[in-house]
Amino acid sequence: MNQGQRNVKAYFYFLGFVVIFIAFTVTSIYSYLQYSHIRTELIDVTKNNDNQLSAAMDMRVAVRERAILLWRMALQDDYFERDETLQAFYEHGSNYHKSRMLILTSHMDPDEAYLMTTLDKETNKRAPILRDFANKLLEKKDNKDHTQSLNQVLTNQIVVANLLDSMIALQQSQNEYSRYHSAEEMANLLSKMILFMIIIIAGGFMFATYVIMTTTKQSQLLEKMNDELEHLACHDHLTGLPNRMLLLQQLERLLSTVHRKKIQAALMFIDIDNFKEINDTFGHDFGDHCLKDLTQNMLKIIRGADILGRLGGDEFLILINEIESSNQMIVIAHKLLESLNTHYTLADKTVTISASIGIYMLSDETTGAKDAIDLADKAMYQAKKSGKNRFVIV
């Protein structure tokens, strides 16, 4: 393919992508604007209705509490107790008027305005009777029968309560209607968006097919390179084991399984004893050879479901996926110590290495991967301080 053909092909690709991009952008902007409008309208209406509903419920509670307090006042003989009850009665009345003002200052439709007007008329008409009854209860005359007056006042309160119930029912139905109406608009918007997307896909299908067919080989090559890079990013270059980043991810998954299934698992932090002496005596190349050898020894001990990884240097981490008890960890730890207790000789020089192991038993109380590693690390240092070539279980 000559330069002219490549330029034409590149221009064709560019033009096709521009057309698809413009169509997609216009569709996205239109859908977003419509969605934002529907969402904003729903939020405003719902917020207003919720505020009205909350205020109406508060008014309903105030009416109920005032009726209860009047009934108590009618049964109380002590004047001072009546006075305290009356104070509570007036406090609920104040709460009633505060909630009423919240409704009056909010946006009301004609039905709500009519109910509020009716409610105010009924309340104002019955207010003198209510005040007169409350004042009579405060008179210092004991053993007076207030049954008839109480029945009349409570009947009036029931009328007010019924109007508030109608207000609450209206606001609840408005909330349901608002959500239903918004859902219908969302469905219509979705239908339009799907239609536009079908047009865009149909118009660009042949172009996309052509581009995909001509770039398949390049995509496969890039995918192969990405897989290699991902493997290098998540694995240790010397031993091929999972590195710190991948170990943290796997440990988080193991912790999630422990929390969800309530199983037992463990984390082993392994540090090779006297490894610095190998590097100093035989050199780093031989030290790298030893690390590979030790890695193979450990892989022979652990199970297929367990994960061995290298944190760095001479530090390793083993994720024990599922165990029956801590006794099983003791058996695994002994086998690991035995496999890692090795002598290396080169040019009449011998170095003995071993390992110190810290074991942390994972449970649903474990908060995170880093905390678990820190605890296993501390257990490993306890093993080193105790003489090396041993393990400590936390």
Side-chain angles (χ1 to χ4, degrees):
M1 183 182 295
N2 57 37
Q3 185 63 37
Q5 290 176 327
R6 285 196 293 266
N7 291 339
V8 171
K9 196 171 186 178
Y11 177 77
F12 175 71
Y13 285 170
F14 175 76
L15 183 62
F17 281 121
V18 168
V19 172
I20 295 174
F21 176 77
I22 292 175
F24 179 79
T25 301
V26 171
T27 302
S28 300
I29 292 175
Y30 171 80
S31 301
Y32 175 76
L33 293 176
Q34 290 295 107
Y35 168 77
S36 298
H37 173 72
I38 296 172
R39 181 176 179 273
T40 301
E41 185 178 12
L42 176 62
I43 290 175
D44 292 340
V45 172
T46 302
K47 184 178 179 180
N48 182 72
N49 287 344
D50 287 343
N51 290 336
Q52 291 178 343
L53 180 61
S54 176
M57 287 182 174
D58 290 340
M59 293 170 66
R60 183 66 175 82
V61 170
V63 170
R64 182 196 65 188
E65 293 298 322
R66 282 158 63 92
I68 294 173
L69 291 172
L70 288 173
W71 177 73
R72 289 180 180 175
M73 290 171 63
L75 297 179
Q76 288 172 345
D77 296 329
D78 186 88
Y79 175 79
F80 295 102
E81 291 181 357
R82 288 182 182 178
D83 186 61
E84 292 178 358
T85 306
L86 184 63
Q87 292 299 323
F89 174 83
Y90 285 131
E91 288 177 5
H92 284 294
S94 177
N95 294 336
Y96 176 92
H97 288 292
K98 289 179 182 178
S99 301
R100 172 179 171 273
M101 289 305 300
L102 286 175
I103 295 178
L104 292 177
T105 54
S106 63
H107 175 73
M108 292 189 295
D109 61 18
D111 291 336
E112 291 173 333
Y114 173 77
L115 278 176
M116 283 302 299
T117 301
T118 304
L119 179 63
D120 287 343
K121 288 181 180 179
E122 294 295 331
T123 304
N124 293 333
K125 182 171 66 175
R126 290 166 170 79
I129 300 174
L130 184 63
R131 286 194 297 267
D132 181 63
F133 179 71
N135 291 331
K136 287 181 179 180
L137 291 176
L138 290 177
E139 295 178 0
K140 297 182 180 180
K141 296 179 181 180
D142 299 330
N143 302 324
K144 185 176 181 179
D145 186 7
H146 301 284
T147 302
Q148 184 176 357
S149 299
L150 177 62
N151 289 336
Q152 181 181 2
V153 171
L154 292 180
T155 300
N156 292 341
Q157 294 295 93
I158 291 173
V159 173
V160 175
N162 289 337
L163 288 173
L164 287 170
D165 289 338
S166 299
M167 174 71 75
I168 291 171
L170 175 62
Q171 289 160 347
Q172 289 174 335
S173 64
Q174 287 176 340
N175 270 345
E176 293 177 0
Y177 173 77
S178 298
R179 292 183 173 89
Y180 175 77
H181 180 67
S182 298
E184 281 190 332
E185 290 185 335
M186 288 288 188
N188 292 333
L189 176 61
L190 181 61
S191 300
K192 292 180 181 178
M193 186 174 66
I194 291 175
L195 177 61
F196 291 152
M197 287 299 178
I198 290 175
I199 295 174
I200 294 172
I201 293 172
F205 178 76
M206 296 303 298
F207 173 77
T209 303
Y210 175 75
V211 172
I212 290 173
M213 291 179 62
T214 56
T215 57
T216 298
K217 292 183 179 180
Q218 184 177 3
S219 299
Q220 291 175 346
L221 179 61
L222 290 175
E223 183 178 356
K224 183 179 179 181
M225 294 176 61
N226 287 334
D227 291 340
E228 292 177 355
L229 290 173
E230 184 178 357
H231 184 271
L232 290 174
C234 298
H235 290 80
D236 177 51
H237 70 281
L238 177 64
T239 61
L241 296 175
N243 61 12
R244 178 184 291 271
M245 179 180 68
L246 183 56
L247 281 171
L248 285 173
Q249 294 176 359
Q250 295 295 335
L251 182 53
E252 289 289 359
R253 293 177 183 174
L254 179 57
L255 284 174
S256 176
T257 302
V258 170
H259 292 164
R260 186 176 66 257
K261 297 185 178 180
K262 308 299 180 183
I263 63 173
Q264 283 189 310
L267 177 66
M268 304 183 75
F269 195 112
I270 302 173
D271 185 88
I272 307 301
D273 300 327
N274 305 322
F275 186 74
K276 184 178 182 300
E277 188 176 348
I278 288 183
N279 285 331
D280 295 341
T281 304
F282 303 128
H284 290 280
D285 290 339
F286 187 78
D288 291 344
H289 172 74
C290 292
L291 285 177
K292 293 180 181 179
D293 186 39
L294 294 172
T295 296
Q296 293 303 315
N297 291 345
M298 288 187 284
L299 287 173
K300 293 176 182 178
I301 301 299
I302 65 175
R303 304 168 303 176
D306 302 330
I307 299 174
L308 170 65
R310 184 186 179 198
L311 290 177
D314 58 348
E315 295 179 339
F316 296 84
L317 207 66
I318 301 179
L319 310 183
I320 306 299
N321 192 12
E322 186 173 353
I323 57 175
E324 296 178 358
S325 66
S326 58
N327 292 332
Q328 188 176 353
M329 289 305 305
I330 296 175
V331 174
I332 296 174
H334 279 300
K335 289 182 179 180
L336 284 172
L337 290 176
E338 183 178 354
S339 68
L340 295 173
N341 193 351
T342 311
H343 301 276
Y344 289 99
T345 302
L346 184 65
D348 298 330
K349 295 180 180 179
T350 301
V351 175
T352 301
I353 66 171
S354 58
S356 298
I357 303 176
I359 304 173
Y360 175 68
M361 304 299 296
L362 301 177
S363 66
D364 53 4
E365 296 181 358
T366 306
T367 57
K370 292 184 178 179
D371 292 338
I373 293 176
D374 290 341
L375 292 171
D377 186 20
K378 291 178 181 179
M380 181 274 295
Y381 275 107
Q382 292 180 15
K384 277 191 176 294
K385 291 180 180 179
S386 300
K388 303 180 180 180
N389 193 24
R390 61 194 63 206
F391 63 89
V392 171
I393 299 180
V394 178

